[in-house]
Each structure stands twice: as structure tokens, then as C-alpha cells.
Amino acid sequence: MPSEILDPALPRPALRRPALRTLRLGFLQLTDAAPLLVAEELGLFDAVGLRVTLSAEGAWAAVRDKLAFGALDAAQLLGPMPIALAAGLDGVRSLVTIGAGLGANGHTLTLSLPLAETLGRFARPLPAAAFAAALRRRTAASRPVTLGVVFPYSSHNYLLRWWLASGGLDPDRDLRLVTVPPPLCASRLAEGAIDGFCAGEPWGSHAAERGLGSIVLSSGDIWPNHPEKVLAFAAGYAGRDPESAIACTAAVIAASRWLDAPENQAEAVRILQHRLFPELGEREIAAAFEGTAEGWPQAAPLRFRTATLPRREQAAWWLRQMRRWGHVPPGLAETTALAPWRQDIWRAAAARLREVEPPPPAPPPGEAAEARR
């Protein structure tokens, strides 16, 4: 199986070497961690001569700290998090190196049933103006709205903020945005601690399946095919052991193209249910792979292969949003903030797999209209 996925025509020395040591790789309990789980399950790390220990973490802050302080060699990271690390936000500074992207799209905005009922009848994806009107009605009735996001420096936060602002809302004044680790979002919704949340799958589908809320929007509706998580190596790791970084990236690219093959969908769901989500039903996990949210088709569903090339121009949109909301120091240089995004590791890995460069992605929100002029 690994040989077939990696390309049997390639000479073995180009892919395999004696493993030097174990690479410690962290991740969170999310559907878009699939490339890492699949690479291990199908023996792709072994096939490129790499020993890897996967470490499941409970929250993004734990992943960040362990990567920054040496407890992890690499990790699944939120897209904006390398910028936050380069800027030293929250007192944690580190210059990581990005080897690949780990997916595009994949988040949903789930609202509690009482808040969804306030909206009345609406079309999906939910227009920001319709949400703003419902929020103002709730606020006027002394019932302010609280939404959960998985981390302050996350694509979830910045895409949600952009969408809210497009409907005339100030995310810092008209509602509360609070941090909730992804696996806890459904329980916080059930407790009434939040009125909705934006999180990666399968947690929106899980909440809907439990009858706790309704999915009204996907992140791909805000920015089609937006970059999501990244495979980030700890500061200095790629320089000390470039072969391990390239081999790890190659295994992830190979896993990503396996995941995007429709015939592998059922097996991917089985792997994730066994490895990550033993308490969840197959339907909740399969929704992201099928490209559906509560049964309705998403315009831009979760995809893996086309997102593997890390693009600095896409990451620049995260930086612009972080500046917009005052999350980074005014003097932070773009060259410093975007230094983690390098394509040399990806290109070295892709050459070994004969992987072609993905097509250019859609422009970010606010820039799509400019691009059409």
C-alpha cells in the first residue's frame, strides 16, 4: 500500500533512508488532522524512512507551547499561529518552519437552537446582515450573544470577524467572542455557556446530530478554499535535519492525495473514528468528507491535496486581519511575520512524489471583487 501511494516508479533511495530518531508530532482532535493519522495508519512515515510519534493534545495553547519550548518537533498548527509566534504574542516567541498545508475549508458556524429560531426562515449560507438583525433583537431583549472560537489567533476567529463586520457588527463590542477548545464546543453549547461556535469539523456536525444547534454557515462560504492548518516544524529543526523535514512533508502530501480520492472516503472515516472519534457516529465524521453540513451541500468543502503548498500570499491575509483588530504590534515587519512560509521543503518533497503544483487559490474576502474588476 505505501509503495502504491508514494509512486512505485520512484527509486527507493529517493524516498527511504535509515531513520535517525523519532519525530514528535502534535495534533488536535479534528477532521483535518487526517493527513497525519492516515500517514501513520497507512505506513507512509515508515515508507519514507521516518519514525514518528503522534501526540494528541487537548488545546491549541498546549500545541503552541510544546512546539515553542521543545516538547514537540513538529505540529499541526492553526494558520495564523506562526505569525503570532513570530510576533511573540502572549509571551511565546518562536520562528517555526512550515512544510505543508494540512487542508482547505472545513469549519462550520453552529448556532444554538434558540438563537437559530430568532433568525426565522433563512437561506444557507446565512447572510451576515440577517445574523446582525437577529443579534440586535436579542441584545434589545437583554440577551447578549456569545460565540465560541477555538483560539484567538485562528482562521476561525478572523474569518468570523470578517463575516460579522461585513454585516455591520463590531466583533469586540456587539457580542462576546470567547475561546473554547474544539472538542468542548458541543458541551459548552449544551450548557448554555455559548450561543454558537465556529470550529473545525466534526464538532459542528456533532452538535447538530445531538440536536443542540443548527449549522448555518461554513468557512468556505466566507473565503472559498481558504488555507487551514499547517504542518509546522519547531525552530531550527528543518536546519538541523532537513531530510527528516522533507520526508515528513512527503508523507503528508502522499496522505493528502490519498484522502482526496473518493474511493478512499469510507476508509478515511473508519480510520478517524477508530483513532480520533470513538464516541462519534460515522455520519458525523463523514459529513466533512462528503462536503455536507447538516445534509446541505457546501460550496467549498474540506479538501486536502490542493492545500498542501504553503503560500505566503494567502498567509498575508491573516496578517492583515491581525493588524485590523489590533492583535499584532504596529511595528511588526511583514518579512518577520511571514518568514515561516517557505516553499523549499514542500518542493523538495513534491519532487520525490512527482506531485505537481496546485492551481492558484481563490482570492481572500474583500479582494475577490477587486480581482474581478
Side-chain angles (χ1 to χ4, degrees):
M1 174 74 75
S3 296
E4 294 173 1
I5 297 170
L6 289 172
D7 187 343
L10 286 174
R12 293 299 92 191
L15 290 168
R16 193 170 182 86
R17 69 178 179 110
L20 297 181
R21 65 181 184 85
T22 300
L23 184 148
R24 301 160 298 176
L25 180 51
F27 68 97
L28 240 62
Q29 197 179 7
L30 292 160
T31 304
D32 57 17
L36 307 181
L37 276 296
V38 163
E40 182 179 62
E41 187 80 9
L42 301 185
L44 299 177
F45 289 130
D46 291 337
V48 296
L50 195 63
R51 286 198 302 261
V52 171
T53 296
L54 295 182
S55 176
E57 307 296 340
W60 286 116
V63 176
R64 174 198 62 188
D65 293 351
K66 287 187 176 184
L67 188 66
F69 298 119
L72 293 171
D73 299 308
Q76 173 197 30
L77 278 192
L78 295 160
M81 195 177 282
I83 298 174
L85 282 167
L89 303 185
D90 299 336
V92 184
R93 186 184 302 276
S94 184
L95 187 61
V96 301
T97 301
I98 296 172
L102 290 178
N105 310 312
H107 311 326
T108 51
L109 175 60
T110 305
L111 301 182
S112 68
L113 294 183
L115 181 53
E117 289 170 3
T118 304
L119 292 164
R121 297 187 64 177
F122 64 90
R124 290 185 173 94
L126 175 66
F131 178 78
L135 181 144
R136 292 188 176 104
R137 288 195 295 272
R138 288 254 311 202
T139 303
S142 299
R143 291 182 296 163
V145 170
T146 299
L147 298 181
V149 293
V150 302
F151 198 69
Y153 316 122
S154 66
S155 57
H156 317 63
N157 189 20
Y158 296 119
L159 288 169
L160 181 61
R161 282 172 172 270
W162 192 93
W163 181 75
L164 292 168
S166 74
L169 296 173
D170 184 332
D172 293 317
R173 294 186 179 182
D174 295 328
L175 69 159
R176 291 179 66 231
L177 295 179
V178 298
T179 300
V180 182
L184 299 181
C185 285
S187 60
R188 294 291 184 269
L189 196 66
E191 296 162 1
I194 55 176
D195 300 294
F197 63 87
C198 183
E201 283 288 275
W203 302 115
S205 293
H206 174 58
E209 188 74 13
R210 288 181 57 190
L212 300 174
S214 181
I215 297 172
V216 299
L217 183 76
S218 73
S219 56
D221 295 318
I222 302 172
W223 180 2
N225 301 316
H226 67 83
E228 228 336 274
K229 314 299 187 305
V230 295
L231 171 66
F233 296 97
Y237 183 89
R240 292 190 303 270
D241 191 354
E243 180 56 36
S244 286
I246 293 169
C248 183
T249 301
V252 166
I253 294 171
S256 296
R257 64 191 190 188
W258 183 89
L259 281 162
D260 274 359
E263 64 270 20
N264 297 327
Q265 178 180 305
E267 178 66 5
V269 171
R270 186 199 67 78
I271 291 171
L272 290 189
Q273 186 178 42
H274 173 67
R275 297 290 303 273
L276 282 189
F277 311 115
E279 304 300 321
L280 273 59
E282 286 191 6
R283 186 163 62 178
E284 297 163 67
I285 303 167
F289 292 100
E290 294 169 351
T292 61
E294 223 174 333
W296 52 275
Q298 298 183 44
L302 176 65
R303 291 293 180 263
F304 295 97
R305 185 173 184 176
T306 56
T308 58
L309 178 63
R311 298 180 185 270
R312 185 172 293 188
E313 64 273 20
Q314 288 187 306
W317 193 81
W318 303 135
L319 177 59
R320 289 194 290 274
Q321 300 312 301
M322 295 171 86
R323 293 194 195 282
R324 176 183 184 181
W325 303 110
H327 291 179
V328 292
L332 177 66
E334 183 170 308
T335 53
T336 300
L338 302 182
W341 278 264
R342 291 168 32 187
Q343 295 187 354
D344 53 313
I345 294 175
W346 185 92
R347 293 190 183 282
R352 299 182 181 190
L353 304 174
R354 297 177 181 170
E355 179 77 356
V356 299
E357 181 173 319
E367 298 175 15
E370 293 296 326
R372 289 193 293 267
R373 289 179 183 174

